[in-house]
Amino acid sequence: MIFGLFGGGGKKKDQPKEEEEVDPVRFLGALNGKEANLGANQRLADAGLVPAKDLVTDGLDRRAEVIRVEPKGPAAIVNFVVDGVAYPGPRLQKIEASAVTQILKLLAGLDIKERKAAQTGGIKAEFEEKPYTLFISTTAVPDGERLTIKVINPAIKLEVPTDLGMSGDLKAKVREIAGTKPGLFVACGPAGSGTTTTRFATVRGLDAYTVGIFSFCDLGGKNLVNVTEFKPNEGDDLAATLQRIARQEGDVVLVDPLKNEEVAKQVATRIGELMIISELTAKDASHGLHQLVQWLGAEPVAEHVKGVISQKLIRVLCPDCKQAYKPNPEFLKKAGLPATVSMLYRKPQVTDVPGEQEVCEKCEGVGFRGRTGMFEFIQMTDGLREVLKNGGDPMAIRAQMRADKMLTLQQDALRLVADGKTSLDEVQRLFKAPDGK
Ligand SMILES: [Zn+2]
């Protein structure tokens, strides 16, 4: 680790900066297969390769999922996004940042002469003996080019409901509802919030010994061992394919996202025979259900939609440095936590004594390491059916969810607090964020 997340402020002062032994990242070639000709670009390689390796090594060492470099005036602003939170990275001079951007473009097989048009590509890499994929994108900004590196770490597995952080109760409920035909089960969320992961995990969580599961969708290279891939007949549309699956006595079918009314209507032709599992881009579960009512009408939704699940990620306290404290009963009541909770946890508090603060090596003093999912889950109830028949306004759906004691994101977040997985401060931070991220 080369740069402290808080500018080294937490480390003991008057000591030389520690330089831990971290082997630099290795770049193993462009995803598009283009050979980077470093010999023909010797000056660029001399100027850019070492700082590019330093930057990426530092980012990977700090578990950054995104590294951003944006030139502004004589310097460049560098940001590392770790578990959804942006931290300032090392300072780069504009000329250095430009060399870093250009060499990464070259390594990703992109056109280094093109600096105006947006470009995207990728680099295969290795760090600490693990393979990584670095997605590189560049966009013109007033002071040059902005570089964004999206880091894909294949070691992070989010496959089954447990990986995602679902509670035992929710897992059992999802398994039962999504595994019982007929009906429609939808995972909802904003774009990029992990909705596809939840859709696949829902299917992976089903028991293939008791239900026949087919997929008729883009699996994105994922391997679903308990699922039979269904090949459509040439010229068949989605509705015709679903009809064939129904005839073959399939129980559950995983389909592509309901991206518009037309797709939703084709899927709806078989929700009285099969259990169809899909996803929908929507702000949350109540907005997703509202969208379905608008596309399909209240009656079929009230009759056939069996479950709508939505998720949001929350940071997990670092197990190596989290601090326990005893909450008083009034505080627990105010926070909405059960009175039986005897201990809560938070990230280490900053001490006032200079030089006393030890920085946790595992999380670099952030107090959090990794993220987990919190969920909300809508099940159809008589009360909710009435709400849908009256138009299914998202606010009214939310009110009904509370009345019927369905799981909300806030409640699920409090479960994680009570379990010591996250802190109340972190919950407040997430629910206060204006963009809901
Ligand atoms: Zn820690």
Side-chain angles (χ1 to χ4, degrees), residues 65-241:
E65 61 249 17
V66 177
I67 302 169
R68 267 191 224 108
V69 180
E70 179 158 353
K72 267 230 162 89
I77 296 167
V78 178
N79 270 307
F80 290 151
V81 181
V82 182
D83 294 330
V85 179
Y87 297 92
R91 289 190 72 82
L92 287 180
Q93 292 307 305
K94 186 180 178 181
I95 189 157
E96 213 177 356
S98 165
V100 166
T101 302
Q102 287 295 89
I103 193 82
L104 289 173
K105 278 164 69 178
L106 184 68
L107 291 167
L110 303 177
D111 180 1
I112 58 170
K113 292 199 183 74
E114 176 60 76
R115 289 171 182 244
K116 291 274 175 269
Q119 296 191 67
T120 55
I123 302 171
K124 285 175 275 183
E126 192 184 276
F127 179 65
E128 292 185 330
E129 291 168 20
K130 287 186 211 89
Y132 283 80
T133 305
L134 309 170
F135 286 106
I136 306 290
S137 59
T138 56
T139 324
V141 290
D143 289 349
E145 261 181 307
R146 178 175 60 215
L147 166 73
T148 306
I149 307 169
K150 204 175 161 206
V151 179
I152 306 294
N153 177 355
I156 298 175
K157 282 217 180 344
L158 290 172
E159 292 188 343
V160 292
T162 309
D163 297 341
L164 272 56
M166 274 189 208
S167 68
D169 276 0
L170 181 61
K171 248 184 336 196
K173 221 180 256 179
V174 165
R175 189 185 172 97
E176 191 201 326
I177 293 172
T180 309
K181 72 175 178 181
L184 181 62
F185 187 100
V186 185
C188 281
S193 68
T195 312
T196 303
T197 307
T198 302
R199 173 167 58 109
F200 284 120
T202 298
V203 173
R204 280 195 174 103
L206 299 178
D207 184 359
Y209 290 107
T210 54
V211 281
I213 313 169
F214 289 90
S215 71
F216 174 54
C217 65
D218 177 7
L219 293 176
K222 289 180 181 68
N223 182 24
L224 298 178
V225 284
N226 57 349
V227 173
T228 309
E229 270 187 74
F230 199 83
K231 298 268 175 285
N233 283 340
E234 221 179 280
D236 275 4
D237 62 5
L238 182 54
T241 303

Side-chain angles (χ1 to χ4, degrees), residues 228-276:
T228 309
E229 270 187 74
F230 199 83
K231 298 268 175 285
N233 283 340
E234 221 179 280
D236 275 4
D237 62 5
L238 182 54
T241 303
L242 290 173
Q243 188 178 16
R244 277 183 58 221
I245 296 175
R247 280 198 200 125
Q248 294 194 13
E249 302 193 343
D251 298 311
V252 175
V253 191
L254 175 68
V255 299
D256 281 322
L258 305 175
K259 59 174 195 275
N260 56 39
E261 185 174 345
E262 165 65 20
V263 174
K265 282 195 160 143
Q266 291 209 24
V267 163
T269 57
R270 296 293 151 193
I271 51 178
E273 292 158 80
L274 297 161
M275 167 51 74
I276 299 181

Side-chain angles (χ1 to χ4, degrees), residues 1-3 19 22-27 47-62 67 78 80 89-92 96 100 103-104 127 149:
M1 135 97 193
I2 302 163
F3 305 92
E19 295 267 344
V22 177
D23 283 337
V25 62
R26 291 170 59 213
F27 298 128
L49 203 50
V50 170
K53 277 198 168 188
D54 282 350
L55 176 74
V56 175
T57 301
D58 196 18
L60 296 183
D61 193 38
R62 283 160 58 167
I67 302 169
V78 178
F80 290 151
R91 289 190 72 82
L92 287 180
E96 213 177 356
V100 166
I103 193 82
L104 289 173
F127 179 65
I149 307 169

